[in-house]
Amino acid sequence: MSAATLSASTAVASAVTITHRMMLLADPATIWDLSTRGEAMQMISEKLDAATQGSFDAAVEAGRLALRSATGQLSHDDVAHGLLAIGVAAARPAARRARANARRLGRT
């Protein structure tokens, strides 16, 4: 998936997810409901998991770029493409979670 496609699909999925969660968490009738608290806890743990996985994936991509640089295998475009690959690798876990949440919350 390209960086532009990843960014656009994440933006749409995030908008759907935020809309559903805001309606759920802003309703005074459900504020003490166990499912509402469960959704809030899931929201936090998903963000931590995605950030951890994204950091690891970005480090792997940075290592690949550094290795190619150290061995002299970089072309003139590889630095830009490598930095873009690092960014996409860092964002991919969060994008995956946002799309899954949009599907899950869109059914309710």
Side-chain angles (χ1 to χ4, degrees), residues 13-24 105:
S14 295
V16 170
T17 301
I18 290 168
T19 300
H20 280 83
R21 283 182 170 164
M22 288 300 294
M23 290 188 317
L24 178 69
L105 293 170

Side-chain angles (χ1 to χ4, degrees), residues 41-105:
M41 293 305 293
Q42 180 178 352
M43 189 171 46
I44 293 166
S45 68
E46 284 175 347
K47 285 175 177 46
L48 290 172
D49 289 345
T52 302
Q53 186 63 49
S55 297
F56 178 75
D57 293 346
V60 169
E61 284 297 324
R64 287 183 183 150
L65 182 62
L67 183 62
R68 289 194 359 237
S69 174
T71 59
Q73 298 176 2
L74 284 179
S75 71
H76 61 282
D77 290 337
D78 283 343
V79 173
H81 290 284
L83 293 175
L84 186 62
I86 292 168
V88 168
R92 193 172 289 130
R96 192 176 314 122
R97 303 242 184 200
R99 286 191 307 272
N101 282 331
R103 281 191 304 273
R104 178 178 60 83
L105 293 170

